[in-house]
Amino acid sequence: MRSTDSSGSSGGEGSTRVEGLHAGASLDLDIDTSPDLDADTSLNHGADTSLDLGADASPDHVADASLDHVADASPDHGADAVPGHGADAAPGRGVGESLDALLARVLVERDPESAFGWHDGRIEVMCREDKDASVRWALSRLDDPDPDVRWFTAVVVDEFSTAGMPCPDEARAVLAARLPVETNSDVLICLISAFAGYHDAGHLPEIQAHAGHPDPRVREWVAGVICWSMPEKIDLLTDFAQDPDPRVRATVLGVCRYAFDHPVTARFSAALRDDPDPEVRALALEVLARDGDAAAYQELRRLGDEAGEESQATKMADAVQIRLRD
């Protein structure tokens, strides 16, 4: 996830845009260990916003669903996967086929490691010349009874929400209607991301409505959107900072850590300095140590020593040391 200044955008002055939220992937709270920590106020997600259908996938999906795989485009690879497609199943082929036919190829094995794969299918949809037609097609499939169809088309809409936002009025209306009724967490995460993107801000009751979702992965993404886009929602952020799942607590504190002017950063850091989860505790201690708390620095250094010199805690302690020395 990354936050970008939206000055001059449809969101209005002071609004933020949340980009790169994708289903099935935890928020990556990688730490910038450069001496000038203030120079980077975004979470480290700008470089790659591709969907990671990882181990968090629902039981209907294969466990190993990484989209880092590059499909083999050789004519004999998967040529029999779909009768009548043969070599056209390779990425970039079959351009004249319908979007429904493309989707059918994607779903043949329901596995990104297949001859075609989800990643390549998404790219083919995104690269089609008529963006409006592609978005309208994806929106029309968001109520499909097959959760995999909904998931794939929600990914497409999410991608378009950060790539020009074609058909904005239609997309907003369909997404607003779908958000309250979606039951699959992977799909819902994509819909939340797309809805925030199409509105160029997160000031939306439709997103806040999922703040108490039973799946912590959904709460994690809602927390990220709200923390970036609605810093005035202190009560909601406080609830997330006290969430029983450490991923949610880490998300709120991680975003606050980078948003140095966030009004609750110091309070959350103080409250979470003894958190039972080492990642959350390290994030809190790093903020406090950066502000000159010597005891917090020593505790952060101890965590790093226990975890090893390549651990995030060690990297954060080293960065604090450089910052305070300079």
Side-chain angles (χ1 to χ4, degrees):
M1 182 179 66
R2 64 183 184 274
S3 175
T4 56
D5 189 334
S6 61
S7 300
S9 70
S10 60
E13 184 178 357
S15 67
T16 57
R17 182 170 185 184
V18 177
E19 299 181 334
L21 298 179
H22 296 291
S26 296
L27 286 178
D28 180 2
L29 300 178
D30 285 345
I31 304 304
D32 181 357
T33 57
S34 61
D36 186 6
L37 286 175
D38 286 331
D40 183 3
T41 59
S42 64
L43 292 183
N44 188 19
H45 277 263
D48 182 5
T49 58
S50 61
L51 177 67
D52 177 12
L53 309 180
D56 285 335
S58 60
D60 293 337
H61 304 289
V62 293
D64 182 10
S66 171
L67 290 184
D68 293 335
H69 169 75
V70 178
D72 184 349
S74 59
D76 60 345
H77 182 74
D80 296 330
V82 183
H85 283 286
D88 282 347
R93 308 294 288 272
V95 176
E97 71 181 336
S98 70
L99 286 165
D100 285 340
L102 185 153
L103 176 62
R105 288 197 282 132
V106 169
L107 297 175
V108 166
E109 298 179 21
R110 298 175 187 262
D111 178 1
E113 297 296 322
S114 68
F116 187 65
W118 290 53
H119 176 69
D120 302 310
R122 186 200 69 201
I123 290 174
E124 282 206 17
V125 176
M126 295 293 295
C127 289
R128 295 207 169 201
E129 185 174 350
D130 192 340
K131 310 300 184 187
D132 288 358
S134 294
V135 170
R136 289 190 178 107
W137 168 80
L139 291 170
S140 73
R141 304 303 297 269
L142 290 178
D143 61 351
D144 195 281
D146 185 339
D148 282 338
V149 172
R150 300 199 307 276
W151 193 3
F152 180 80
T153 52
V155 169
V156 170
V157 178
D158 186 19
E159 291 281 357
F160 275 117
S161 76
T162 60
M165 293 187 288
C167 307
D169 293 337
E170 295 169 59
R172 289 167 187 147
V174 172
L175 290 168
R178 188 65 207 170
L179 274 169
V181 298
E182 180 54 58
T183 58
N184 181 282
S185 293
D186 297 297
V187 179
L188 181 58
I189 289 169
C190 277
L191 296 178
I192 290 170
S193 175
F195 194 60
Y198 261 99
H199 285 78
D200 204 27
H203 302 246
L204 305 165
E206 292 87 349
I207 292 176
Q208 296 178 55
H210 296 284
H213 195 279
D215 189 331
R217 294 179 300 140
V218 175
R219 299 198 306 274
E220 180 183 6
W221 287 103
V222 174
V225 171
I226 290 176
C227 200
W228 275 118
S229 303
M230 293 177 276
E232 73 278 7
K233 298 289 184 181
I234 302 300
D235 289 344
L236 266 180
L237 295 179
T238 300
D239 288 343
F240 286 128
Q242 299 171 346
D243 193 277
D245 193 283
R247 291 174 297 182
V248 182
R249 301 195 301 274
T251 294
V252 172
L253 188 53
V255 175
C256 288
R257 175 188 176 275
Y258 280 92
F260 294 106
D261 58 347
H262 201 292
V264 294
T265 303
R267 177 156 63 90
F268 286 175
S269 299
L272 296 170
R273 69 180 299 159
D274 296 317
D275 193 274
D277 183 82
E279 179 186 0
V280 177
R281 189 162 70 253
L283 286 167
L285 291 170
E286 193 271 342
V287 173
L288 297 170
R290 192 183 62 211
D291 290 337
D293 187 325
Y297 171 76
Q298 293 300 325
E299 178 64 13
L300 179 63
R301 180 61 72 184
R302 186 188 66 79
L303 284 178
D305 291 342
E306 291 178 355
E309 62 180 20
E310 296 302 318
S311 68
Q312 291 285 32
T314 294
K315 293 176 182 178
M316 285 190 285
D318 290 344
V320 169
Q321 185 179 35
I322 293 171
R323 176 187 174 85
L324 295 179
R325 185 178 63 217
D326 294 343

